[in-house]
Amino acid sequence: MNLKIFTLALGLLGFHCSAQTKDTLAEKMLIYQLPNGGWGKQLEDKSVVNYNLPIDKALFKKIKSTGDDHATIDNNATSREINALIKAYSTTKNPEYLKAAERGISYLILMQYDNGGFPQYYPNTGLYRKQVTYNDNAMINALTVLYNVAEGNSDFNVVSLSLKEKSRTAVQKGIGCILKTQVLQKGIPSIWADQYNEITLQPDKARAFEPVSLATGESVGIVRFLMLQSVTPEIEKSIRAAIQWFRQNKIEGYSYNVTKQNGKAVRVLAEDKNSVIWARFYDIHTNKPLFGDRDGSVKYNYNEVSEERRNGYSWFGDFAEKLLAKEYPKWLEKNKLSE
């Protein structure tokens, strides 16, 4: 690509090229958008998408060589851009921002399975990318965008009527998937796994250190999404069951913090009588905290996890603290429900 073509491309997308180009976030997002309407978290060379970087000729070429297989909802990709572009449109009225956001919304609708689930990537089906993915809030981020579109919330009221109707259908399908995938323990609903087989909707493993398990952080996000919805008997039952599970499986008397030791960040699980935490993963049958390692092994003792994974992954957190203390009581009150 010669400099003239590069300069023309930037100009068409709203860039004003000068000795020092001043990029806005929305303009950069237009350039990073993939042909299928989604966005990636990485470029073709596996470098991470970074909107803080100025877009020079070399980076522009790298962005445009990145194909649809990189489109994903992992790590906030696509939902982040749609939200930012809708906000940018509300302040600038630049039609290109709305057009790009609507293409992103169409991508989310396109990637949804008939069973209501969302894969981590689309159309890339390699490894665990085709699984129905709650991990890192991927599916809930996508559904939240579609919920805001369907309801015309905040700045999303500008989205086309056609996309609002399609989003409403997608949200209902998504809720159906959420209710179907809540893990049953002897017939009693618990919480959710991180990812599921896209056909059987059975909990599945992903990376070597992400075994089949119940996932607390993601399940909190799922409950919060369900609490946005109109209450049905099925949704109420699901929320109450998850709340009960969180109450029964909290870990009292321990804290989990990152400290510096010999100049290195170290994650420390320590006794603390004033602290309540939850493990990141729990055994899907016994509710015992479990930990995965690089070699694919599963440990039930935190101290047996390799040092690299102990310090390279967050294994505990106060995930459900705010949900239990504030959000759930407010939901009950709002919907005139008793404890």
Side-chain angles (χ1 to χ4, degrees):
M1 180 184 295
N2 62 40
L3 184 58
K4 182 181 290 185
I5 295 175
F6 168 66
T7 303
L8 177 61
L10 292 184
L12 289 173
L13 289 170
F15 279 75
H16 302 289
C17 297
S18 61
Q20 185 174 10
T21 302
K22 293 184 179 180
D23 307 342
T24 70
L25 178 61
E27 287 169 341
K28 287 180 178 178
M29 288 178 172
L30 296 183
I31 289 181
Y32 275 93
Q33 189 169 29
L34 296 168
N36 65 3
W39 282 266
K41 66 175 185 177
Q42 293 180 330
L43 300 178
E44 192 67 40
D45 64 351
K46 297 187 177 180
S47 60
V48 176
V49 169
N50 182 356
Y51 290 115
N52 292 321
L53 295 176
I55 299 181
D56 58 15
K57 182 180 177 182
L59 180 54
F60 183 85
K61 185 176 181 180
K62 193 188 300 183
I63 293 168
K64 291 307 173 185
S65 69
T66 301
D68 283 344
D69 265 3
H70 287 269
T72 182
I73 55 173
D74 191 31
N75 288 11
N76 299 315
T78 301
S79 59
R80 167 186 58 191
E81 284 83 1
I82 293 170
N83 288 327
L85 286 164
I86 287 291
K87 185 176 181 180
Y89 176 75
S90 73
T91 57
T92 66
K93 304 305 178 190
N94 184 334
E96 293 302 314
Y97 298 165
L98 177 57
K99 180 180 176 182
E102 289 188 329
R103 287 184 62 223
I105 293 163
S106 294
Y107 167 76
L108 294 182
I109 293 168
L110 176 67
M111 78 185 303
Q112 186 180 32
Y113 290 128
D114 288 341
N115 60 26
F118 285 76
Q120 187 185 53
Y121 279 71
Y122 180 83
N124 189 336
T125 59
L127 300 173
Y128 47 81
R129 295 183 176 95
K130 61 185 176 179
Q131 293 172 340
V132 171
T133 304
Y134 295 118
N135 191 24
D136 290 335
N137 302 312
M139 177 166 155
I140 294 303
N141 285 342
L143 280 174
T144 300
V145 168
L146 295 175
Y147 171 75
N148 287 330
V149 173
E151 298 299 316
N153 288 337
S154 189
D155 299 323
F156 282 87
N157 59 357
V158 297
V159 174
S160 73
L161 181 61
S162 172
L163 280 179
K164 286 180 181 177
E165 292 172 350
K166 290 178 181 177
S167 295
R168 189 169 292 110
T169 299
V171 169
Q172 291 309 308
K173 287 169 60 179
I175 292 170
C177 182
I178 289 171
L179 297 177
K180 281 183 286 187
T181 52
Q182 190 167 13
V183 175
L184 296 178
Q185 295 178 328
K186 297 180 179 178
I188 299 173
S190 59
I191 57 172
W192 290 264
D194 253 343
Q195 51 274 319
Y196 292 75
N197 180 279
E198 69 282 2
I199 297 171
T200 66
L201 290 183
Q202 292 302 303
D204 213 341
K205 63 181 181 179
R207 290 176 291 187
F209 52 89
E210 294 171 333
V212 172
S213 58
L214 300 176
T216 48
E218 284 76 5
S219 293
V220 168
I222 293 170
V223 172
R224 285 175 174 152
F225 178 75
L226 289 178
M227 291 196 303
L228 294 174
Q229 312 306 317
S230 299
V231 179
T232 65
E234 295 79 12
I235 288 175
E236 182 182 351
K237 178 183 177 182
S238 176
I239 291 171
R240 288 184 182 276
I243 293 295
Q244 182 68 8
W245 188 94
F246 283 122
R247 287 172 172 166
Q248 292 175 342
N249 292 282
K250 62 186 178 182
I251 301 170
E252 297 179 295
Y254 284 87
S255 63
Y256 183 66
N257 299 295
V258 178
T259 62
K260 287 282 187 179
Q261 293 182 9
N262 299 321
K264 292 171 60 178
V266 177
R267 298 180 189 271
V268 177
L269 179 66
E271 290 187 16
D272 182 346
K273 64 180 182 180
N274 298 316
S275 180
V276 175
I277 57 176
W278 286 262
R280 181 167 188 157
F281 299 136
Y282 286 77
D283 187 284
I284 208 159
H285 303 294
T286 66
N287 292 330
K288 290 173 62 175
L290 62 78
F291 314 92
D293 223 326
R294 284 285 187 193
D295 61 0
S297 63
V298 176
K299 310 286 198 312
Y300 290 91
N301 184 333
Y302 175 67
N303 294 316
E304 293 178 1
V305 180
S306 66
E307 183 180 355
E308 183 272 332
R309 276 299 80 193
R310 236 183 12 253
N311 295 319
Y313 204 59
S314 182
W315 292 106
F316 298 90
D318 59 358
F319 303 114
E321 182 178 32
K322 186 177 178 183
L323 177 68
L324 296 182
K326 297 181 180 179
E327 295 166 348
Y328 179 61
K330 284 184 179 179
W331 177 79
L332 290 173
E333 182 180 1
K334 176 186 175 184
N335 292 283
K336 297 180 171 58
L337 299 170
S338 61
E339 176 66 40

